[in-house]
Amino acid sequence: MDAQDGNQQSQQLILGHNVFLLKHPDVPDIEKVRLKDEVLNSVKSNEMAPYYETLVADKVVELDQNVLDSMRAKNEEEIKKLDEKIADAEENLGESEVREAHLAKSLYYIRIGDKEKALEQLKLTETKTVAVGQKMDLVFYTLQIGFFYMDFDLISKSIDKAKNLFEEGGDWERKNRLKVYEGLYCMATRNFKKATDLFLGSISTFTTYELFPYETFIFYTVLTSIISLDRVSLKQKVVDAPEILTVIRKIPNLSEFLNSLYDCQYKSFFLAFAGLTEQIKLDRYLHPHFRFYMREVRTVVYSQFLESYKSVTIEAMAKAFGVTVEFIDLELSRFIAAGKLHCKIDKVAGVLETNRPDAKNALYQATIKQGDFLLNRIQKLSRVIDL
């Protein structure tokens, strides 16, 4: 978005998160008063007339016609100046200066929150751009627009475009930055496995501070890893990773959440998990997947506990997790019915009996099923050909 100095997050993405919180039903009203002030101050200081109109239409803020007219006037004045610079560059200067003038106009449209004109101007700037690295920078600006507006179609197309550009060349720094952008996109679209791989591949080379601080990056990496990696990989890539160990204790409950799972301290795990739920719920990218993530984490921890036993009493399991027998009974029955856990409940004896699936038998059954499907398709096709 707007150019950032050093290790600062994009002001537009901070604004986008504040607007998300302002719309969130679980945020207290007193907090929303502060958030509304922050949003309006950010909009006014950046002269965001187009975005202000969007916020008014969404009933996030009330219309102040004088403020809107003032911002519109400033926008028109600035765009006129930028057009004059473009005209001057085209008449008197070289191709590089023409590109810079067009880029400046693109960045101004991004700054004021005019999505359509920003994308249009970025395309025009691209036609003036020769170097692959500079073209990649334009794609990163487009990706930031996509994340600001949560436009996943735009993000997906931009990631594909960036990958095609890398086939022409491109430096490692930009390639590593793209991994984080793609990882965030995967996480926001519930592809947690791929997000984990991309995040873990970027831990030691992280430079995308415009998206989020390093602590937030580690927070996302740990959350996605817990439901995506097996126990051995989790130990090697996350629990013992020096990059994660340096910052994990700065994030409330995250260290306890990770280590208590690996150390099988299930009561501590549930307490840490409860402490993290609010943070996950109020995260702009994770919020749509909150219920799904809660289910997946519980599946992982219940599966890990049951893996150690052929049979175990429900009371012993409830005690290990620090919850009631009724709670565990209800929880497990849901997960068993959904096919998430491989065990059965003997309600009379109060015992859980595991029945782990035979991997070879499962593969055999899947092969038979696929074979039947293929034969049916061939028979249907042969009938069409005969006709």
Side-chain angles (χ1 to χ4, degrees), residues 232-259:
V232 175
S233 300
L234 190 69
K235 173 72 170 170
Q236 291 173 345
K237 297 178 181 179
V238 183
V239 175
D240 291 340
E243 296 87 356
I244 291 176
L245 289 171
T246 54
V247 297
I248 193 168
R249 295 202 176 276
K250 296 178 184 177
I251 305 160
N253 299 302
L254 192 63
S255 177
E256 294 81 0
F257 180 62
L258 174 63
N259 291 306

Side-chain angles (χ1 to χ4, degrees), residues 191-214:
N191 188 350
F192 291 114
K193 177 75 176 107
K194 190 173 182 183
T196 300
D197 294 339
L198 290 164
F199 284 155
L200 288 171
S202 309
I203 278 186
S204 57
T205 57
F206 179 83
T207 55
T208 49
Y209 295 99
E210 69 275 11
L211 281 182
F212 35 62
Y214 190 61

Side-chain angles (χ1 to χ4, degrees), residues 185-346:
Y185 166 71
C186 290
M187 186 185 77
T189 52
R190 205 179 282 185
N191 188 350
F192 291 114
K193 177 75 176 107
K194 190 173 182 183
T196 300
D197 294 339
L198 290 164
F199 284 155
L200 288 171
S202 309
I203 278 186
S204 57
T205 57
F206 179 83
T207 55
T208 49
Y209 295 99
E210 69 275 11
L211 281 182
F212 35 62
Y214 190 61
E215 285 81 3
T216 304
F217 172 66
I218 294 300
F219 175 69
Y220 291 153
T221 303
V222 171
L223 289 189
T224 54
S225 296
I226 277 177
I227 62 170
S228 304
L229 298 179
D230 59 60
R231 187 173 164 80
V232 175
S233 300
L234 190 69
K235 173 72 170 170
Q236 291 173 345
K237 297 178 181 179
V238 183
V239 175
D240 291 340
E243 296 87 356
I244 291 176
L245 289 171
T246 54
V247 297
I248 193 168
R249 295 202 176 276
K250 296 178 184 177
I251 305 160
N253 299 302
L254 192 63
S255 177
E256 294 81 0
F257 180 62
L258 174 63
N259 291 306
S260 58
L261 173 66
Y262 186 77
D263 295 336
C264 304
Q265 302 294 324
Y266 300 113
K267 193 181 291 188
S268 301
F269 175 82
F270 261 34
L271 288 170
F273 189 30
L276 281 174
T277 52
E278 195 71 9
Q279 203 170 342
I280 297 168
K281 194 188 293 184
L282 297 180
D283 185 275
R284 191 168 175 235
Y285 306 109
L286 290 170
H287 170 72
H289 318 296
F290 175 69
R291 291 172 68 84
F292 173 83
Y293 187 80
M294 295 284 283
R295 284 196 303 272
E296 289 300 301
V297 168
R298 278 143 57 208
T299 301
V300 168
V301 73
Y302 292 149
S303 297
Q304 180 175 292
F305 177 85
L306 292 169
E307 204 166 317
S308 307
Y309 300 94
K310 179 77 176 170
S311 65
V312 61
T313 64
I314 301 175
E315 188 179 349
M317 187 171 180
K319 189 176 180 182
F321 282 91
V323 294
T324 63
V325 171
E326 291 76 16
F327 176 82
I328 281 290
D329 187 24
L330 183 62
E331 277 274 274
L332 294 183
S333 59
R334 285 175 184 162
F335 285 108
I336 293 167
K340 295 279 188 180
L341 293 176
H342 303 289
C343 64
K344 58 184 180 180
I345 301 173
D346 184 340

Side-chain angles (χ1 to χ4, degrees), residues 159-171:
I159 288 170
D160 291 340
K161 185 177 181 180
K163 288 179 178 177
N164 291 332
L165 281 171
F166 278 135
E167 289 177 8
E168 299 174 27
D171 57 84

